[in-house]
Amino acid sequence: MGKYKIKIFTGTALGAGTSNKIYMNLIGTISNSGPHKLKTLTTFWSGSKKTFTVESQSNIGELLLVEVEPKKRSLMPYVDDDWFCSKIIVTTPEGVDVLFPCHCWVSRDEKLILRHSIALLKTQDTVPQLLAHRQENLKKRCQEFKWSLYAPGLPHTVLATAPHELPLEVRFSFTREKEFQFTAGVAFTKLKLKNPLNGTWSSFEDLNGILSKKPKTYEYVENNWMTDEFFAYQFLNGLNPMIIKRCSKLPEKFPVTNEMVKGFLPGTSTLESEMKKGNIFICDYERLRDLEGNEINKKKQYLAAPLCLLFSTQDKLMPIAIQLNQQPRPGNPIFLPSDSENDWMLAKIFVRNAEFNEHELNFHLLRTHLLGEVFTLATMRNLPSCHPLYKLLIPHTRYTLQINILARNLLISEDGDFPQFTAIGNESMTTFLKRAASSLTYSSLCIPDDIKERGLETIPNYFYRDDGLELWDIIYKFVSGFVSHYYRDQDVKEDNELHSWLTEIRENGFLEQSEAGFPKSFSNVKELAKFVTMVIFTVSGQHSAVNSGQFEFGGFMPNFPSTLRCPPPKQKGETTRDSVLETLPDISTTINTIAIVYLLSQESTDRYLLGYYPEELFSEEMPLKLMAQFRSALQDLEMKIDTRNKKLVLPYTYLNPRNVDNSVAI
């Protein structure tokens, strides 16, 4: 027996409120209070905080669960009025406040049972009612969140063809979905783009005049894209800082000789000696080999699979040789900076088109979006809401399922933007993605291991590396403290929910190849902390690094062409400025691609930055303390990056925590 004070918090999003009647039942270790109607003269409007008193006629024992059920009002029987409940705080007769996190939509006549905020592993859940709720929680989620085969050899996706098909628990807020649709519809208007035609650009000056208002980085790209120094800079700090690696021995398929490049090396130095010093680097686009080009506006398009050799000295990285196809043979020359200006420019443009495909499909779509979806779905299906790792990871899944569904429908479907405006089209895109997925490794997703494997520990002015390693260390310290609070090594071994989560990630992420190096199990806290750090870094920092600069670096078409209309040149000396313009995308494709990269780079108004956890999922002192320390460390990194960037002509901002979202949300 006793009186319980109930505080109910409604979310702030548009449409979060409800006019439904709300019934509440308090469930304890001994009995329950029975359903009580929460009487109010007004509705539960968006952002409201309402207090009620529920009196139980019997002793319910220790409060464990809260059952919430919205029911229709007699005057509005046909209005389906979903409600977004943020949280419920119950004050017991003894004066103890108990937090019940919700943070999800609730439909009419749906009974939602919430448990208190204390995070527990399954082995610690000994109360029968809580154990039963835990099992029911996962059973319901497995029914609601199902895997679907997108294409053989690629990570599996959620079984849903539109965002509204997703369970209420993870649906878009009204404002986020409408904003995405609005942005897509008015990109042309915002950028003041004219109705595109199918003709060829008559000059590079015409390209410069596409936009009247340009971000500073966009202007820098526009003014410097032809220079060798900026061409090479982008391999370190552009949209795709992931493909470059140190070259200690030239591959046989790329027969660059010392005679070819000696003029680009210092003094009497040789290619062999510079490789020994660690100053030679290579970018290999082998995954694009032998792919058939698409058709755009009834015209054949072309792809190349180039190799690019670079030399690093005096704080500069410079290209010294480019071969446009994988196998050396007549008709596949090695282009050099000493060739004609137009020959060398066109060779670099083919490399930049290869960069478009590797960046957009492999390092962006596959390694952040599709893997983020695998992490999200495995979390929803295997970790109950009371599991400490669920509470840690759920903010890092926000909007990922919705944004990926939209991407599949709008960008990579049979009639989407990729088949319409890129040389790789649809069929070749699937082949490329399978190749990329088969080459995915665990170490390549862990930036400290990846930097070491690619031999890039000491190359100067690699700001992606510098900022990324610091961000990884901050996340790892946070995750390690968190995991150590809830786990001992033996707990890690005994947590079957955790290992089911890992198994689903391996099986559905197409990560089971032995050479990929993904863990099959966790045996200690350190292994678990590294894997969870990889998950968080992938969907936050790594996604920001490859996503946020798409309009700034890719909006000026010659620097990031989505397609090329002529095949790679077979010999030197025939390229003219007109033939370069004939090779670049036509006017229509250019304008549409600008609109697409603009859309993909836009920040939403309701973004959650890394370290920002507005949902109260924890009430224990230690995780709250760790989150505060995490935010403080991120702020320190912000200031450090700001100080460094003040000295740079082109600041590197994509891994500054103020620009990094918690999740793959765009």
Side-chain angles (χ1 to χ4, degrees), residues 53 65 234 239 280 347 351 429 445 491 523-524 542 554 569 583:
T53 298
L65 304 165
Q234 293 182 85
L239 286 175
I280 303 297
V351 173
M429 174 186 68
L445 299 176
D491 297 322
S523 59
N524 56 57
Q542 186 61 26
T583 302

Side-chain angles (χ1 to χ4, degrees), residues 265-314:
L265 303 177
T268 58
S269 185
T270 65
L271 187 58
E272 291 73 18
S273 64
E274 293 298 335
M275 283 192 287
K276 288 180 181 178
K277 294 176 185 177
N279 292 332
I280 303 297
F281 297 85
I282 191 169
C283 298
D284 186 352
Y285 298 88
E286 190 267 345
R287 282 181 283 261
L288 288 163
R289 70 189 185 280
D290 302 325
L291 293 182
E292 190 70 21
N294 188 23
E295 277 195 8
I296 298 176
N297 297 325
K298 298 181 180 180
K299 180 175 174 58
K300 175 74 173 175
Q301 309 292 303
Y302 295 89
L303 294 161
L307 297 107
C308 180
L309 202 66
L310 303 111
F311 171 56
S312 174
T313 184
Q314 298 176 344

Side-chain angles (χ1 to χ4, degrees), residues 397-597:
T397 68
R398 186 173 184 257
Y399 294 158
T400 299
L401 300 182
Q402 293 90 338
I403 211 71
N404 281 6
I405 291 171
L406 291 171
R408 283 191 285 274
N409 292 341
L410 301 175
L411 298 179
I412 59 174
S413 60
E414 288 187 5
D415 58 350
D417 291 333
F418 252 79
Q420 288 188 67
F421 305 120
T422 73
I424 202 166
N426 199 290
E427 186 174 334
S428 290
M429 174 186 68
T430 303
T431 301
F432 175 84
L433 280 170
K434 289 178 182 178
R435 291 174 180 174
S438 67
S439 65
L440 189 61
T441 63
Y442 182 42
S443 59
S444 70
L445 299 176
C446 302
I447 188 171
D449 300 335
D450 179 58
I451 294 297
K452 186 176 181 180
E453 285 183 356
R454 291 193 285 136
L456 300 174
E457 301 98 316
T458 59
I459 188 170
N461 301 319
Y462 192 13
F463 307 124
Y464 163 80
R465 172 202 61 206
D466 300 341
D467 299 351
L469 287 175
E470 291 214 46
L471 186 59
W472 173 280
D473 288 343
I474 290 170
I475 296 172
Y476 180 78
K477 183 177 180 181
F478 167 55
V479 170
S480 183
F482 182 94
V483 171
S484 298
H485 176 67
Y486 289 100
Y487 284 96
R488 298 165 301 164
D489 288 348
Q490 189 62 31
D491 297 322
V492 172
K493 296 175 185 177
E494 294 175 354
D495 189 349
N496 57 12
E497 292 170 339
L498 170 66
H499 286 92
S500 295
W501 175 72
L502 176 61
T503 298
E504 282 213 355
I505 289 174
R506 284 175 53 86
E507 291 178 350
N508 294 282
F510 202 65
L511 307 173
E512 293 191 278
Q513 312 97 301
S514 58
E515 61 271 19
F518 284 85
K520 296 180 180 179
S521 62
F522 301 121
S523 59
N524 56 57
V525 168
K526 187 176 181 180
E527 291 175 355
L528 175 58
K530 180 179 179 179
F531 192 87
V532 173
T533 299
M534 179 275 294
V535 169
I536 294 176
F537 183 83
T538 295
V539 301
S540 59
Q542 186 61 26
H543 179 254
S544 179
V546 299
N547 177 80
S548 300
Q550 287 181 96
F551 180 60
E552 293 178 329
F553 277 87
F556 185 68
M557 177 272 288
N559 188 57
F560 201 55
S562 64
T563 185
L564 295 172
R565 295 182 294 160
C566 297
K570 293 185 177 181
Q571 58 186 17
K572 299 182 182 184
E574 296 185 349
T575 302
T576 65
R577 186 60 59 99
D578 285 344
S579 65
V580 172
L581 291 167
E582 285 284 350
T583 302
L584 289 171
D586 62 30
I587 296 173
S588 172
T589 300
T590 299
I591 300 299
N592 279 284
T593 304
I594 290 172
I596 293 166
V597 296

Side-chain angles (χ1 to χ4, degrees), residues 107 129 149 188 294 305 342 374 415-416 437 498 533-534 548 604 666:
S107 293
Q129 295 96 319
L149 176 65
F188 273 78
N294 188 23
N342 290 322
V374 170
D415 58 350
L498 170 66
T533 299
M534 179 275 294
S548 300
S604 67
I666 183 61

